């Protein structure tokens, strides 16, 4: 899933393309046989550009797009099963300590990639791997939490 937050503009012949296309996707997934996301990808306004937040006078986040996708050995270039190298396109899972190709090992690993352009023109690309991690919150007695 790729989502353009803003920055689309029409070009010649009425074709709409993004000013900030997701070229990182193709470099990670082309060898897996996946096609690049459409350009432009589906878009939405940033939550900071909707009422009532748009009246606060706060500068909007500088993100141009955000993508959330599953990862595999091949996309990360990591051999998690010690079988033939980083060649599998099977989604990876996380058991709290290790990656696995086995879906019963834990939660699926997702990669969040975001792209921002700063006011001085510099560009930032951030990628982060995430997986749901269960937290055991069972307590043998009452619990009191002090807030600040």
């Amino acid at each position: 899933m790729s989502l353009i937050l803003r920055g689309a503009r029409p070009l010649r012949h009425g074709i709409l393309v993004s000013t900030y296309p997701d070229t990182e996707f193709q470099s990670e997934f082309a060898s897996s046989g996946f096609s690049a996301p459409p350009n432009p990808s589906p878009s939405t306004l940033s939550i900071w550009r909707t009422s009532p937040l748009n009246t606060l006078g706060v500068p909007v986040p500088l993100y141009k797009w955000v993508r959330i996708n599953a990862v595999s050995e091949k996309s990360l270039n990591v051999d998690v099963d010690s079988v033939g190298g980083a060649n599998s396109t099977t989604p990876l899972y996380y058991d709290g300590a290790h990656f696995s190709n086995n879906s019963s090992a834990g939660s699926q690993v997702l990669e969040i990639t975001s792209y921002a352009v700063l006011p001085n023109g510099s560009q930032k690309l951030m990628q982060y791997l995430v997986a749901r991690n269960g937290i055991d919150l069972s307590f043998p007695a009452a619990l009191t939490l002090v807030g600040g």
Side-chain angles (χ1 to χ4, degrees):
M1 172 176 103
S2 186
L3 182 63
I4 303 295
L5 295 179
R6 55 192 165 117
R9 63 181 175 147
L11 286 183
R12 289 185 281 154
H13 311 294
I15 298 171
L16 187 70
V17 295
S18 173
T19 307
Y20 308 101
D22 182 357
T23 56
E24 183 70 17
F25 184 91
Q26 196 65 10
S27 68
E28 288 185 29
F29 295 98
S31 64
S32 300
F34 296 104
S35 60
N39 184 11
S41 293
S43 64
T44 187
L45 288 176
S46 167
I47 190 167
W48 290 98
R49 292 187 177 259
T50 59
S51 181
L53 297 177
N54 61 350
T55 62
L56 296 176
V58 176
V60 297
L62 303 170
Y63 294 105
K64 300 302 182 185
W65 54 260
V66 175
R67 173 176 28 97
I68 302 171
N69 57 272
V71 294
S72 66
E73 283 186 344
K74 199 164 191 174
S75 70
L76 294 179
N77 196 26
V78 174
D79 184 11
V80 301
D81 59 7
S82 301
V83 178
N87 60 353
S88 175
T89 58
T90 303
L92 292 182
Y93 299 86
Y94 185 67
D95 66 5
H98 304 95
F99 290 124
S100 174
N101 287 330
N102 185 344
S103 62
S104 64
S107 300
Q108 184 176 5
V109 179
L110 300 174
E111 180 180 58
I112 301 172
T113 306
S114 61
Y115 178 76
V117 177
L118 301 180
N120 67 1
S122 64
Q123 302 172 8
K124 305 294 181 187
L125 182 72
M126 190 271 313
Q127 289 187 306
Y128 202 76
L129 297 177
V130 296
R132 185 176 55 88
N133 192 5
I135 299 174
D136 181 15
L137 293 178
S138 58
F139 298 96
L143 175 68
T144 302
L145 298 174
V146 178

